[in-house]
Amino acid sequence: MASLGLNLDEQKAVDRFRKTVVEPSMANLVILDFWAEWCGPCKALTPVLEKVATDYADKGVVLAKVNVDEEQFIASQFQVRSIPTVYAMFQGQPVADLTNARSESQLKQVLDQLLAQLPIGGAAGEAKAEIAQFTAMGEQVLAEGEADRAAGIFSQVVEMAPEDAGAHAGLIRALAQAGRAEEAEAALAAAMATPSVASDPALTQAKSALELLADRPDEGELASLRSAAGTDPANMDARLAYAEAAFAAGQRDAAADELLAMIHADREWNDGAARATLVKMFEAVGLEDAWVVTTRRRLSRLLFG
């Protein structure tokens, strides 16, 4: 599910969905039911879904419900056009549309087919759940500003799951934020050596983070760039160079202030380079970071207010 450009309420909705649906689906088959209080067919289907989920609980099947009136953003992401709409979710992805399976026998038939094909539960499922838990922990620690500690967590996850792109990406971003550029480059090279990881969008974001954070300026260099940007506000190249240097030096607010001022002055300059750079910074820090959430709201107000 896309995360860029979300407002605070949408981000909270994504976080709730991650905790109630995505995380359980890493080791279980989740029956995801989109419903509403006013929907008669939904209420008629609920007892069937609950019974089947109870009957199949020992096989790794759980039921999750999403009220479309309360979670309109999530419903829109799944392009729900009518209710009830029911999906089977595994490892964060829909694997079957169960909407037309309205009877107990129909649901069980489809679930039997899915359970025969997917590694639900057991050692494999527990391992995936554990990996997902550690990855989430690493992201949380990184969002709290403990880059070195986050790098240690992600490094352990990479050892446990060498093909987990999220873990590789987290390790690269954590090392970059900790100022350990050479180690981040080595981690990137190792990730690129695994084809399934190299092609993952998470790695593209990590590369952007490394590009932004790799070259940290000293105080003299930063002061010189700040002076050049302030002396000639019309020199957008100088202002962009200062914003990137400020971010690399750990001065996020200064970088964001400069880029937002550039967008306000001329949002189309250099094909929207200021906005693109700010988005890269969001990706580098992590989309759940408090600074990112606040700055993204400032960007939204500037663009759409």
Side-chain angles (χ1 to χ4, degrees), residues 1 11-35 60-67 70-71 74-75 78 87-93 136 288:
M1 191 178 301
Q11 184 65 56
K12 287 182 178 179
V14 171
D15 291 340
R16 287 193 297 269
F17 184 79
R18 181 181 296 113
K19 292 178 181 177
T20 59
V21 178
V22 175
E23 291 180 5
S25 77
M26 299 311 293
N28 301 285
L29 186 64
V30 176
I31 300 175
L32 177 59
D33 177 30
F34 290 94
W35 70 292
V61 175
V62 297
L63 175 63
K65 300 177 71 66
V66 173
N67 187 317
E70 297 175 354
E71 301 287 2
I74 299 299
F78 279 83
Y87 290 109
M89 301 282 294
F90 182 59
Q91 294 184 1
Q93 300 296 325
E288 297 181 10

Side-chain angles (χ1 to χ4, degrees), residues 137-138 141-142 144 146-155 174 178 180:
M137 182 190 303
V141 170
L142 185 59
E144 292 170 355
E146 299 184 56
D148 283 309
R149 183 179 163 215
I153 295 172
F154 284 124
S155 180
R180 296 156 61 180

Side-chain angles (χ1 to χ4, degrees), residues 31 47-57 104 107-108 111:
I31 300 175
V48 178
L49 295 176
E50 291 177 346
K51 184 178 186 306
V52 170
T54 300
D55 291 346
Y56 277 62
E104 180 180 338
L107 277 168
K108 288 185 174 181
L111 290 177

Side-chain angles (χ1 to χ4, degrees), residues 175-187:
L175 289 170
Q177 287 192 42
R180 296 156 61 180
E182 291 186 3
E183 293 177 69
E185 291 283 1

Side-chain angles (χ1 to χ4, degrees), residues 4-263:
L4 290 180
L6 303 187
N7 60 39
L8 183 58
D9 288 338
E10 291 170 344
Q11 184 65 56
K12 287 182 178 179
V14 171
D15 291 340
R16 287 193 297 269
F17 184 79
R18 181 181 296 113
K19 292 178 181 177
T20 59
V21 178
V22 175
E23 291 180 5
S25 77
M26 299 311 293
N28 301 285
L29 186 64
V30 176
I31 300 175
L32 177 59
D33 177 30
F34 290 94
W35 70 292
E37 288 285 354
W38 47 264
C39 172
C42 298
K43 293 183 177 181
L45 181 61
T46 292
V48 178
L49 295 176
E50 291 177 346
K51 184 178 186 306
V52 170
T54 300
D55 291 346
Y56 277 62
D58 60 347
K59 298 181 180 180
V61 175
V62 297
L63 175 63
K65 300 177 71 66
V66 173
N67 187 317
V68 297
D69 291 330
E70 297 175 354
E71 301 287 2
Q72 295 181 16
F73 178 71
I74 299 299
S76 70
Q77 294 296 293
F78 279 83
Q79 300 183 347
V80 174
R81 298 288 182 262
S82 62
I83 51 174
T85 292
V86 185
Y87 290 109
M89 301 282 294
F90 182 59
Q91 294 184 1
Q93 300 296 325
V95 293
D97 187 340
L98 307 179
T99 303
N100 293 325
R102 297 298 178 90
S103 70
E104 180 180 338
S105 61
Q106 289 174 330
L107 277 168
K108 288 185 174 181
Q109 181 179 1
V110 177
L111 290 177
D112 286 338
Q113 293 173 350
L114 291 172
L115 291 170
Q117 299 169 7
L118 299 172
I120 306 296
E126 292 176 4
K128 287 183 179 293
E130 184 178 10
I131 290 166
Q133 181 180 10
F134 278 116
T135 300
M137 182 190 303
E139 291 291 353
Q140 179 63 36
V141 170
L142 185 59
E144 292 170 355
E146 299 184 56
D148 283 309
R149 183 179 163 215
I153 295 172
F154 284 124
S155 180
Q156 292 180 15
V157 180
V158 168
E159 290 183 9
M160 294 167 56
E163 295 191 1
D164 189 296
H168 281 281
L171 176 59
I172 295 164
R173 288 188 289 109
L175 289 170
Q177 287 192 42
R180 296 156 61 180
E182 291 186 3
E183 293 177 69
E185 291 283 1
L188 175 60
M192 294 297 291
T194 304
S196 61
V197 174
S199 61
D200 194 283
L203 204 64
T204 301
Q205 295 179 359
K207 290 169 66 177
S208 296
L210 184 54
E211 291 172 1
L212 287 169
L213 295 167
D215 298 322
R216 291 196 174 190
D218 58 35
E219 292 185 7
E221 291 172 332
L222 185 60
S224 177
L225 290 168
R226 184 190 302 114
S227 176
T231 301
D232 185 7
N235 187 341
M236 293 293 226
D237 287 304
R239 297 178 68 179
L240 181 62
Y242 164 61
E244 292 177 337
F247 183 78
Q251 299 181 16
R252 297 179 185 174
D253 288 335
D257 289 345
E258 190 68 37
L259 290 170
L260 289 169
M262 291 173 65
I263 294 169

